[in-house]
Amino acid sequence: MPQFTDLLFFAFAGMALLFGFLTVANPVSRNPVTSAMFLVLTIISLAGLYLLLHAFFLAAVQVLVYAGAVMVLFLFVIMLLDIKEEERRRLKTFTVGVGSVAVAALLGILTVSALSAKPGSPAGQTRLAVGDTAELGKVLFNHWLLPFEILSVLLLVAMVGVILLSKKDLK
Amino acid sequence: MNDYSLITLEILAVIVGLGALMVDLWIPASARRALGYGTAAALGCLLAFAAGSLSPQAGLGFHNTFVVDDLARYFKTFFLFGAFVVVLMTVDFAPKIGSGLSEFYALVCFALVGMLFAASANDLVMLFVSLELITVTFYVLNSFQRGRIASLEAGIKYLILGAVASGFMVFGIALVFGSANSTNFGVIASRQAELAHSTVFLTGLLLVLVGLGFKIAAFPFQAWAPDVYQGSPAPATAFLAVGSKAAGFVLLVRLVTQAVPQIAAEWNRLLVVMAAGTIAYGSLCALPQRNLKRLMGYSSIANAGYLLLGVVAMSTSGSTAVLYYLGGYFFTVLAAFTVICAIAEHVEGDDIANLAGLGQRSPFLAAALSIAFVSLAGIPPMVGFFGKVLLLRAVFEGAAAHPSFYLLIAVAVVGVVLSLYYYFGVIRSIYWGANPSSLAPISTSLGTKVALAACIGGIVFLGVAPSSLLKIADQAVQPKSATAAAQHAAAH
């Protein structure tokens, strides 16, 4: 007897896969704006999956930051570029062929490993209540303090890099 | 419980990077050269600090995500040396970089921070985060010469392929966490026997290997190397060739020998194919190259293959050989790139044919470059010879149990013979090249002299007296520290 959460999982997972596919390989439209919109839907579906894992804060941040702020930025960049050129570009048969073979092989490996996994084996030891902000903060700033701080250096590098690569040439 | 004394070196390296970034605001443009020497001096002090009596105490910290042991210390010393030489060579390369020189020094320091953390990573999350810091920094460093299409192309190619490799790796880590319920190397090691039967875990591990394979430019993840090596600014290429590759190898060695030794032993056929493919691809494709930096790209692939020999052997002698060879590789490749930077102003383009006349223009630089290539080719008494002998011996020791190792040795020997041809092509061009474009003498700066003296000294000294470094390398890979760490982690 499947529970309601199981049904929700399949709904969100199915949506994430479908919208993810439509982001990169939309058979109807090759407009980058359409792809970006499908990416928003993918992100929202993933937020649903986070909710099912009791990661409430992560789900909220996913929608606010990624679906909101980051995607708006994406859309700005896309609109600054020449959209028509992307639509005109033809795909090469060789590229599509090699890509399909690689994707099929990876899909095969993942399917085999997913089918062999037994639900309830080690992964099944769920640790509930890690999802609210207080718990997340404790885990993040105790156990994962060092990786967190390294990421702050990484963000600094990204900022320096963006400014360097986009500024006018200074003499 | 966080013991901050463990990460003293990393904190100091961040401070040096921030210092280079900030000091630039207050000094006049004419003092840029002094800034480079200042950064190099700071890194030199750190190097002395790390190698001297003040080196960080051994121990686990930060909830077992960070470990300081002999292996970590060994690599940290070499990473610091690499950054020191790269900053020195950048001083001579500065006119080609143009604006943003202080940021270049700062980014080299931040990449160094990522490498220092990678040397100590004892957790897949730490592994991923430190590799990302290195990779993201190199996205910027590789495309630093914005005016050159080749440099931008290198940056974009590294960005796209690097992002794909990171995607594979993070997906693999997710699968490992899903099946092992932990990302810690110690915990994974203690539960290896049961995890070896979990297909999900093995798939995850395979995907993590894909990510590491990209970092070390191993077959079949090597496609980016030639274009990126050729297009990037020479100091960035040098740091990519030694630092980024060594970071990949320290993580690979730690993962394979400490976290999953039993599973890796079962996978030796996969590793044999990877090593043989890498050597064959690198050596064969290097043969027709006419561009020096592109040749270094293919040479870097071939050398990743030789280093994989030590990983394939799955023994302490194999790991010792990897460490020793990497140590020699640091000196050799840094010497070659220091010369490339020093002549960048005087020799047009990176073509090997343009090296013609260098023997007369600057006997010192010509000799240094020749010694580097002789060592890369594996000629005694240079360090490259002894390193290759150690690697081959390690594989040979395991050949009785695994007949496929004989095939691997054959491929490696053919690779070495082929390498004689393309490395000596460079030396022939230096001394006997036809039609030199100019015969004006090339003066070398003090920084270049210091860097080259250190590198050449290392190449010759380690070749003549290998036992000094060999003893340290051997101590670094002894399993005692690993089991202690695993037990420590399991107890928590």
Side-chain angles (χ1 to χ4, degrees), chain B residues 21-311:
Chain B
L21 212 51
M22 302 301 287
V23 168
D24 181 54
L25 299 175
W26 287 286
I27 61 168
S30 54
R32 288 282 163 76
R33 210 175 163 80
L35 180 66
Y37 283 133
T39 314
L43 289 174
C45 290
L46 270 188
L47 178 61
F49 176 85
S53 54
L54 290 167
S55 79
Q57 292 299 306
L60 275 162
F62 298 93
H63 297 266
N64 296 327
T65 55
F66 188 87
V67 61
V68 177
D69 53 11
D70 290 330
L71 181 67
R73 280 201 211 111
Y74 183 91
F75 274 94
K76 280 174 202 238
T77 315
F78 276 105
F79 288 140
L80 282 166
F81 176 73
F84 170 69
V85 175
V86 166
V87 170
L88 277 183
M89 73 171 83
T90 312
V91 174
D92 277 342
F93 196 74
K96 294 234 160 190
I97 287 181
S99 65
L101 194 57
S102 61
E103 284 86 352
F104 194 95
Y105 297 133
L107 287 175
V108 168
C109 292
F110 292 139
L112 168 71
V113 173
M115 290 165 197
L116 293 176
F117 276 117
S120 283
N122 194 39
D123 190 292
L124 284 171
V125 173
M126 274 293 291
L127 175 149
F128 180 70
V129 168
S130 48
L131 273 188
E132 276 305 281
L133 178 55
I134 300 171
T135 316
V136 169
T137 315
F138 275 110
Y139 295 155
V140 185
L141 285 177
N142 288 343
S143 40
F144 218 88
Q145 291 173 298
R146 279 184 302 155
R148 280 179 62 225
I149 290 291
S151 179
L152 291 176
E153 182 192 334
I156 292 285
K157 279 187 174 159
Y158 195 61
L159 170 70
I160 292 175
L161 292 176
V164 172
S166 296
F168 273 92
M169 180 175 254
V170 79
F171 192 39
I173 293 174
L175 291 181
V176 168
F177 179 68
S179 51
N181 212 2
S182 171
T183 50
N184 192 284
F185 288 174
V187 176
I188 290 173
S190 62
R191 294 181 41 200
Q192 252 190 104
E194 104 192 57
L195 288 173
H197 300 294
S198 161
T199 320
V200 178
F201 180 80
L202 296 178
T203 309
L205 198 59
L206 190 67
L207 294 181
V208 173
L209 280 184
V210 170
L212 288 177
F214 172 83
K215 297 302 305 173
I216 62 175
F219 177 82
F221 317 109
Q222 85 297 342
W224 59 274
D227 286 340
V228 172
Y229 275 56
Q230 185 181 0
S232 304
T237 312
F239 209 29
L240 188 67
V242 293
S244 184
K245 187 183 290 275
F249 266 102
V250 64
L251 290 169
L252 188 64
V253 166
R254 203 181 279 285
L255 189 69
V256 160
T257 62
Q258 296 186 8
V260 290
Q262 291 160 24
I263 296 168
E266 283 173 32
W267 281 9
N268 72 53
R269 255 177 304 174
L270 179 77
L271 291 168
V272 164
V273 172
M274 255 176 95
T278 311
I279 294 173
Y281 183 92
S283 307
L284 289 174
C285 291
L287 287 176
Q289 297 310 321
R290 293 285 167 266
N291 182 295
L292 188 55
K293 271 157 78 190
R294 200 173 178 80
L295 174 71
M296 291 305 288
Y298 284 111
S299 148
S300 153
I301 298 174
N303 277 297
Y306 297 130
L307 284 160
L308 276 175
L309 292 178
V311 179

Side-chain angles (χ1 to χ4, degrees), chain B residues 6-14 66 76 113 116-117 120:
Chain B
L6 288 175
I7 55 166
T8 322
L9 270 182
E10 286 79 359
I11 293 176
L12 288 174
V14 172
F66 188 87
K76 280 174 202 238
V113 173
L116 293 176
F117 276 117
S120 283

